Amino acid sequence: MESRYRRWLKALEGHRLDGFLVTHPPNLRYLFNFTGSTGLACFLGAETHLIVDSRYLEQAASETLNCQSMLAEKSLEDTLKTTLSNSSRIKGGTARIGLEAHHVSYDYILRLQSWTLPVEWVPTRDLIEEFRMIKDEEEIELLEKAFQMAQKAYQRSVKQVRAGMTEGEVAGILEFELRKAGGQGLAFETIVASGPRSSLPHGSSTARKIESDEFVLLDFGLKYQGYCSDLTRIHFLSDTQRPAIYQVVQEAQEAALSLIEPGVLSSRIDAAARGVISQHGFEDYFGHSTGHGLGLEVHELPRISSARPDEIQQGMAFTIEPGIYLPGQYGVRIEDAVVVTQNGYQLLSNRDQ
């Protein structure tokens, strides 16, 4: 974690920033090991102060690195203002302090700018997230564990699924098993979509009863020490016939996986999956990207899509999840995850489970 912090400080120099304000909880965890849900860290004048309220003071003191914990007496913002006012760097002239522009509101920025302090607030985008995009060995081990737990929970869950259960009941079983397997929370709201509702890519679980001749789409994941797993599986009940699009989606996933190696553009990986689906005449029924990065958040960089062609690098972790969704009929998505190695990739998930 010390090396992450030092690389970040070096990046601030490259952006001609004298300081930086970190408010996004995953970024606070990445740089300072703070696991609370609310706080802010401000680097200025060779020091970083982590400001928290009374709920997190003891926690911050025991777990954080690379910073000095401070109790917010009135509010986080008031304490930040006081801290900046007392900084010798501020007294020496105008300081350029970076902001996580896509994690703070316009109203928040206006409040900061209303302070009569010699500070130029500089919006930045993905400055910390681009570091998080490349996982170190410890992070990869945590992701591997998170996926192992999730797949263990899935295997236990589907053995309990029966026709006549509601989607909500199945979601409850799966979420219980995710906790039982060691998950420390859900990575996102569990999706259980059966029959015609499986054509909804992100349909929430409902009270709909599952029929014996239907299949069920399950999209699920857990958090382990902050790191997220994310999987989508199709579970077939005893009387269910496997639809033809299932094999098409499998082929699309294979095509995408076959291209993964350092130096390849993420847009090429997306195009490979999309090309297979288009060859079978289903190009109009695959609307989302082929994948996304994951780590401390379930959706992070890189994006495996044509919208942002990122160059694939060793240490990146991301999903490959093509799908075909036929409105009013059914939909199929298969989602696995990889970490990029020196010469290719390593699966974080077991595609056979």
Side-chain angles (χ1 to χ4, degrees):
M1 191 161 289
E2 175 70 21
S3 62
R4 298 177 192 174
Y5 182 68
R6 294 300 170 194
R7 289 198 306 271
W8 175 61
L9 295 183
K10 190 71 174 177
L12 299 187
E13 292 179 13
H15 286 77
R16 297 185 298 110
L17 295 173
D18 303 302
F20 202 90
L21 179 64
V22 185
T23 57
H24 190 43
N27 289 341
L28 290 171
R29 183 162 190 158
Y30 182 76
L31 290 173
F32 310 111
N33 201 43
F34 177 59
T35 63
S37 62
T38 305
L40 59 85
C42 184
F43 167 76
L44 186 65
E47 290 184 319
T48 298
H49 293 97
L50 174 68
I51 303 170
V52 297
D53 61 42
S54 60
R55 296 173 298 170
Y56 297 115
L57 185 61
E58 181 181 358
Q59 178 179 332
S62 65
E63 71 184 10
T64 56
L65 302 167
N66 306 320
C67 62
Q68 178 182 343
S69 300
M70 293 180 62
L71 175 64
E73 296 182 359
K74 293 183 178 179
S75 70
L76 300 183
E77 288 181 35
D78 285 340
T79 305
L80 172 64
K81 184 178 180 181
T82 300
T83 302
L84 291 176
S85 299
N86 294 333
S87 169
S88 58
R89 175 62 187 82
I90 291 288
K91 295 174 182 178
T94 300
R96 286 169 46 86
I97 301 179
L99 289 169
E100 303 165 297
H102 56 308
H103 294 309
V104 295
S105 68
Y106 181 60
D107 179 66
Y108 188 87
I109 294 174
L110 289 178
R111 292 201 303 272
L112 295 180
Q113 291 175 335
S114 71
W115 297 349
T116 54
L117 293 173
V119 172
E120 178 188 354
W121 296 102
V122 181
T124 69
R125 186 171 181 85
D126 296 332
L127 197 151
I128 301 172
E129 284 79 357
E130 288 184 354
F131 285 111
R132 285 172 44 200
M133 186 165 56
I134 309 299
K135 272 56 180 181
D136 59 31
E137 290 184 8
E138 180 184 357
E139 291 179 290
I140 292 170
E141 289 177 3
L142 293 174
L143 283 170
E144 288 174 338
K145 189 69 173 176
F147 275 91
Q148 290 168 6
M149 290 176 173
Q151 293 203 281
K152 182 179 182 180
Y154 173 72
Q155 292 296 318
R156 287 175 170 174
S157 299
V158 293
K159 292 177 181 178
Q160 304 172 54
V161 176
R162 301 287 184 272
M165 285 184 172
T166 67
E167 294 170 347
E169 287 177 294
V170 175
I173 291 170
L174 179 52
E175 289 172 3
F176 172 74
E177 293 293 349
L178 289 168
R179 282 284 192 177
K180 192 175 176 181
Q184 297 165 337
L186 298 178
F188 53 92
E189 182 180 352
T190 303
I191 295 171
V192 177
S194 61
R197 292 195 68 259
S198 60
S199 69
L200 304 173
H202 273 195
S204 58
S205 307
T206 70
R208 183 186 187 276
K209 290 187 176 182
I210 302 167
E211 302 292 337
S212 62
D213 60 348
E214 296 176 335
F215 61 81
V216 186
L217 184 151
L218 302 99
D219 190 344
F220 58 96
L222 58 77
K223 286 186 177 182
Y224 176 68
Q225 294 189 28
Y227 284 79
C228 301
S229 54
D230 185 3
L231 291 158
T232 304
R233 292 291 184 261
I234 304 296
H235 177 62
F236 298 95
L237 274 70
S238 57
D239 298 334
T240 310
Q241 290 188 344
R242 184 169 295 195
I245 61 171
Y246 186 86
Q247 184 174 345
V248 177
V249 173
Q250 282 186 315
E251 292 174 9
Q253 190 186 53
E254 284 283 0
L257 289 169
S258 71
L259 288 181
I260 298 173
E261 63 179 359
V264 173
L265 291 180
S266 59
S267 54
R268 280 193 61 201
I269 299 170
D270 177 79
R274 210 165 294 281
V276 170
I277 290 173
S278 295
Q279 288 169 14
H280 289 271
F282 295 106
E283 62 271 18
D284 293 335
Y285 303 101
F286 176 30
H288 58 73
S289 63
T290 295
H292 56 82
L294 79 170
L296 287 170
E297 294 178 273
V298 75
H299 289 99
E300 55 184 55
L301 298 177
R303 298 184 181 93
I304 311 302
S305 75
S306 60
R308 175 172 168 156
D310 292 312
E311 181 179 327
I312 299 302
Q313 301 175 54
Q314 183 176 352
M316 286 181 171
F318 51 83
T319 66
I320 297 294
E321 49 178 301
I324 297 173
Y325 311 93
L326 305 178
Q329 299 182 58
Y330 46 73
V332 168
R333 178 170 66 256
I334 302 172
E335 179 180 18
D336 289 279
V338 302
V339 61
V340 181
T341 61
Q342 184 176 0
N343 300 310
Y345 68 90
Q346 170 193 334
L347 281 165
L348 290 168
S349 51
N350 186 334
R351 297 177 67 204
D352 296 325
Q353 293 182 355

